[in-house]
């Protein structure tokens, strides 16, 4: 990757709850409130777990309040076709079309489920469809392929929608978007699939990597890579967790209110909440609607953020009056958390490469009532030219990464990333560490974090850095106050959080200190 990309992460784009996307992206659905990490949804809690065996229930359509401009299924087909044909980002395309569609809340939920569920289960759906589409799915028009995919997804994973309704809706949509011949083909494929349900399973005797790839719908190269890193059992647990709906969690702004008081207010208003076991500032929201549309959010009492992402500011361990550098800060979620930890007393330089993202940082700070944040624009690779050596008490390098820890929020990542991407981003991470290292004061703390589970980008990166920088050493003592986290094993000062560990995002967080000049 080029140096111009070093101010933000490929693994952080299009995300919210980990603090890395605009709040507006949460207004249409909760399924993917994703951030350099993220929160999640209550809209995908009743669905089947794996392709061949699960029997959990799925979404259902309720009566529409008013006649919409389009149907949930038609909207889903258009979004998926744009993602496949034009490389559109699924969440941005979905949000754009939902704003135009005037769907009922039930149909918004169904459309959201169909888009993200189909992307999440993509290669499993295609594996089954190949058995029933005579000429193969590759020769179909993109919209027809998308229509068959969402229909197959409903048949396999959403039990509350009757089979006849799935077929009828698909045929009618095929007539509307195509012609009689296409609708006949769609009708034949789906009815044949229903008649031969016994074929809708992944054979258990496949090689282990191939079985995991198809059963849990991940690229084979990714599964094989994780098996080499983590072993078969852990890899299957990772893939299974990546298909679960992410939790909705919020971070309390402790400069304004305590967690206990805010939880009492939320409960009193009918929300179902519980204290996070990972972060002393976190609240899990089991039910309560879109948190970004509440008065609590608008008044700055909380931010939407994944629990794993909340651990980063605690690792930084800022103290009041200190000078802090956040190298790749936009849109400012972790920056704001650091400021809250400092009780807004001190100075934080929040850097990002994109000028328009500076506004996101400033907007976060204004909403939360924080005045100690100085948002600046520039390439993180040039920070050593803009600031003197030993300028900062704390440095956070929330580095650009492959984003493979947040697949449950961003299923697109599975199908858009490659081994080359991991290797390319790793070289950038290495250079960023080298450039910012001299800026830390002796005795200060540098936190290196990513939202990926790739060892090349995480523990291997830190080990390489420590091997080349004798002036640095790992901090092996835990920085985290919650027992759930404090007992996690650290290696070279870092913890690797996998998505199945605490039903939160996959994250890596390492704490390093500079011991000499």
């Amino acid at each position: 990757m080029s140096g111009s990309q070093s101010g933000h992460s490929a693994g952080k784009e299009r995300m919210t709850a980990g603090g890395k996307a605009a709040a507006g992206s949460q207004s249409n659905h909760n399924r993917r409130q994703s951030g350099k990490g993220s929160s999640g949804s209550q809209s995908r809690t009743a669905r089947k777990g794996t392709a061949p065996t699960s029997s959990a229930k799925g979404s259902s359509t309720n009566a529409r309040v008013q006649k919409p401009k389009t149907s949930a299924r038609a909207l889903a087909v258009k979004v998926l076709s744009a993602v496949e044909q034009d490389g559109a980002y699924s969440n941005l395309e979905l949000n754009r079309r939902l704003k135009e569609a005037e769907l009922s809340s039930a149909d918004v939920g169904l459309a959201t489920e169909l888009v993200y569920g189909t992307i999440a289960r993509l290669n499993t759906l295609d594996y089954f469809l190949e058995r029933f589409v005579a000429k193969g799915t590759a020769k179909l028009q993109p919209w027809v392929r998308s229509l068959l995919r969402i229909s197959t997804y409903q048949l396999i994973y959403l039990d509350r929608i009757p089979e006849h309704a799935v077929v009828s809706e698909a045929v009618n949509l095929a007539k509307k978007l195509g012609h009689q011949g296409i609708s006949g083909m769609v009708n034949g494929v789906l009815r044949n699939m229903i008649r031969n349900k016994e074929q809708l399973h992944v054979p258990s005797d496949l090689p282990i990597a191939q079985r995991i790839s198809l059963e849990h719908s991940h690229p084979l190269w990714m599964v094989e890579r994780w098996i080499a890193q983590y072993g078969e059992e852990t890899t299957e647990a990772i893939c299974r967790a990546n298909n679960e709906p992410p939790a909705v969690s919020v971070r309390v702004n402790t400069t304004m209110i305590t967690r206990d008081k805010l939880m009492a207010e939320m409960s009193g208003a009918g929300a179902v909440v519980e204290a996070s076991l990972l972060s002393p500032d976190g609240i899990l929201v089991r039910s309560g609607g879109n948190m970004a549309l509440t008065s609590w959010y608008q008044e700055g009492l909380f931010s939407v953020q994944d629990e794993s992402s909340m651990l980063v500011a605690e690792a930084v361990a800022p103290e009041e009056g200190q000078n802090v550098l956040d190298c790749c800060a936009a849109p400012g979620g972790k920056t704001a958390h650091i400021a809250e930890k400092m009780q807004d007393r001190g100075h934080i330089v929040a850097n990002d490469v994109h000028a328009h993202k500076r506004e996101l940082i400033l907007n976060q700070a204004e909403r939360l009532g924080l005045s100690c944040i100085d948002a600046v624009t520039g390439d993180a690779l040039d920070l050593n030219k803009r600031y003197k050596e030993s300028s900062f008490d704390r440095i956070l390098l929330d580095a650009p990464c492959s984003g493979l820890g947040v697949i449950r929020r961003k299923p697109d990542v599975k199908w858009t990333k490659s081994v080359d991407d991991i290797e390319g981003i790793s070289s950038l991470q290495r250079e960023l560490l080298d450039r910012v290292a001299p800026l830390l004061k002796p005795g200060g703390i540098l936190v290196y974090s990513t939202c990926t589970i790739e060892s090349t980008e995480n523990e291997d990166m830190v080990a390489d850095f420590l091997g080349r920088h004798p002036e640095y050493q790992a901090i092996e003592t835990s920085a985290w106050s919650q027992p759930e986290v404090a007992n996690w094993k650290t290696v070279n000062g870092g913890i690797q959080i996998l998505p199945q560990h605490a039903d939160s995002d996959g994250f890596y967080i390492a704490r390093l200190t500079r011991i000499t000049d």
Side-chain angles (χ1 to χ4, degrees):
M1 304 186 87
S2 67
S4 64
Q5 296 169 297
S6 61
H8 68 280
S9 165
K12 301 168 192 170
E13 287 298 305
R14 319 190 303 279
M15 306 165 70
T16 61
K20 290 292 175 180
S25 66
Q26 300 159 345
S27 63
N28 290 313
H29 59 87
N30 288 330
R31 168 64 175 94
R32 301 282 168 187
Q33 296 180 103
S34 57
K36 271 178 181 173
S38 203
S39 290
S41 141
Q42 294 125 356
S43 68
R44 296 197 65 189
T45 56
R47 53 176 188 169
K48 295 182 181 178
T50 60
T53 59
S54 180
S55 60
K57 301 297 181 182
S59 285
S60 63
T61 53
N62 296 324
R64 294 187 179 95
V65 175
Q66 59 184 10
K67 185 177 180 180
K69 295 179 180 179
T70 187
S71 71
R73 291 173 177 85
L75 188 147
V77 167
K78 292 174 183 177
V79 171
L80 291 168
S81 298
V83 169
E84 182 177 9
Q85 280 185 285
D86 307 325
Y89 294 150
S90 61
N91 70 319
L92 299 182
E93 184 70 12
L94 176 63
N95 286 342
R96 181 180 71 82
R97 291 188 179 275
L98 285 174
K99 289 177 182 177
E100 299 171 351
E102 299 179 3
L103 295 179
S104 68
S105 59
D107 276 356
V108 167
L110 177 59
T112 301
E113 175 66 41
L114 293 179
V115 168
Y116 289 121
T118 298
I119 294 173
R121 299 288 184 174
L122 193 61
N123 71 341
T124 308
L125 299 175
D126 285 354
Y127 174 75
F128 294 142
L129 279 169
E130 286 297 330
R131 303 181 182 185
F132 297 96
V133 177
K135 296 182 179 180
T137 58
K139 293 185 178 181
L140 298 174
Q141 296 179 60
W143 73 264
V144 179
R145 189 159 49 244
S146 295
L147 176 57
L148 286 174
R149 283 169 173 166
I150 69 165
S151 301
T152 304
Y153 179 76
Q154 292 169 80
L155 291 175
I156 297 174
Y157 297 104
L158 303 184
D159 281 355
R160 290 183 186 174
I161 302 178
E163 293 173 343
H164 67 83
V166 173
V167 176
S168 176
E169 291 284 350
V171 170
N172 290 336
L173 188 52
K175 290 177 181 177
K176 182 177 179 180
L177 298 177
H179 52 73
Q180 190 68 35
I182 293 178
S183 66
M185 183 274 293
V186 169
N187 181 64
V189 168
L190 296 179
R191 291 192 180 280
N192 193 19
M193 190 174 283
I194 292 170
R195 285 194 298 269
N196 295 278
K197 285 184 179 179
E198 71 281 358
Q199 295 187 36
L200 301 180
H201 72 276
V202 176
S204 59
D205 59 352
L206 291 174
I208 184 67
Q210 187 178 356
R211 181 190 62 76
I212 293 173
S213 171
L214 289 174
E215 189 170 316
H216 302 290
S217 201
H218 283 65
L220 182 59
W221 71 265
M222 195 176 289
V223 173
E224 291 173 339
R225 188 177 178 92
W226 289 346
I227 287 176
Q229 293 177 42
Y230 295 108
E232 295 173 359
E233 183 177 350
T234 298
T235 295
E236 183 156 20
I238 292 170
C239 294
R240 183 182 295 111
N242 282 343
N243 288 324
E244 292 299 318
V248 178
S249 53
V250 300
R251 184 194 78 239
V252 180
N253 181 356
T254 53
T255 68
M256 291 188 177
I257 194 170
T258 65
R259 179 167 73 172
D260 288 345
K261 185 175 180 180
L262 182 56
M263 287 180 66
E265 286 190 20
M266 296 173 76
S267 296
V272 178
V273 299
E274 59 188 68
S276 167
L277 296 178
L278 301 190
S279 170
D281 303 324
I283 298 174
L284 288 168
V285 184
R286 300 305 187 188
S287 177
N290 189 331
M291 290 294 103
L293 299 181
T294 64
S295 60
W296 304 304
Y297 178 89
Q298 294 162 1
E299 293 168 7
L301 298 185
F302 66 60
S303 298
V304 182
Q305 186 175 25
D306 180 77
E307 289 179 281
S308 293
S309 183
M310 294 180 202
L311 299 178
V312 174
E314 196 170 7
V316 174
E319 299 176 9
E320 293 183 19
Q322 287 188 330
N323 200 25
V324 180
L325 171 63
D326 188 348
C327 303
C328 309
K334 296 183 184 70
T335 308
H337 196 191
I338 292 170
E340 292 163 5
K341 288 287 188 184
M342 300 168 68
Q343 289 299 300
D344 200 28
R345 300 187 184 102
H347 180 235
I348 302 174
V349 175
N351 177 76
D352 197 81
V353 70
H354 297 295
H356 71 279
K357 290 190 175 182
R358 178 176 179 271
E359 295 303 313
L360 298 178
I361 300 171
L362 293 174
N363 290 342
Q364 285 257 29
E366 182 179 5
R367 181 179 64 83
L368 296 167
L370 302 170
S371 60
C372 71
I373 297 172
D374 179 16
V376 301
T377 300
D379 194 323
L381 288 172
D382 295 332
L383 286 169
N384 61 333
K385 300 175 183 177
R386 292 155 53 195
Y387 299 98
K388 294 180 180 179
E389 186 171 338
S390 303
S391 292
F392 299 97
D393 301 286
R394 300 286 190 270
I395 294 177
L396 169 59
L397 177 55
D398 192 33
C401 70
S402 60
L404 299 185
V406 294
I407 286 174
R408 71 172 74 189
R409 304 182 189 284
K410 295 176 56 186
D412 317 53
V413 169
K414 291 190 288 190
W415 315 116
T416 59
K417 297 296 180 181
S418 67
V419 174
D420 289 342
D421 291 327
I422 295 171
E423 293 175 354
I425 205 72
S426 296
S427 64
L428 175 58
Q429 293 161 346
R430 188 177 192 268
E431 190 171 4
L432 281 169
L433 275 168
D434 288 343
R435 297 286 183 91
V436 303
L439 301 180
L440 186 68
K441 294 178 181 178
I445 296 173
L446 186 158
V447 170
Y448 173 81
S449 63
T450 72
C451 57
T452 189
I453 63 174
E454 278 290 323
S455 58
T456 301
E457 302 177 65
N458 295 340
E459 59 263 36
D460 294 349
M461 183 63 60
V462 171
D464 173 75
F465 173 79
L466 292 174
R468 295 182 294 103
H469 289 268
E471 75 277 17
Y472 270 84
Q473 69 179 22
I475 302 174
E476 299 295 352
T477 55
S478 176
W480 296 283
S481 58
Q482 300 293 84
E484 182 80 13
V485 186
N487 295 326
W488 288 352
K489 181 181 178 181
T490 63
V491 178
N492 282 333
I495 58 169
Q496 177 65 73
I497 307 168
L498 299 179
Q500 71 271 26
H501 284 168
D503 296 325
S504 59
D505 288 344
F507 246 81
Y508 178 78
I509 308 169
R511 304 177 75 234
L512 311 175
T513 186
R514 188 177 178 188
I515 55 177
T516 66
D517 291 332

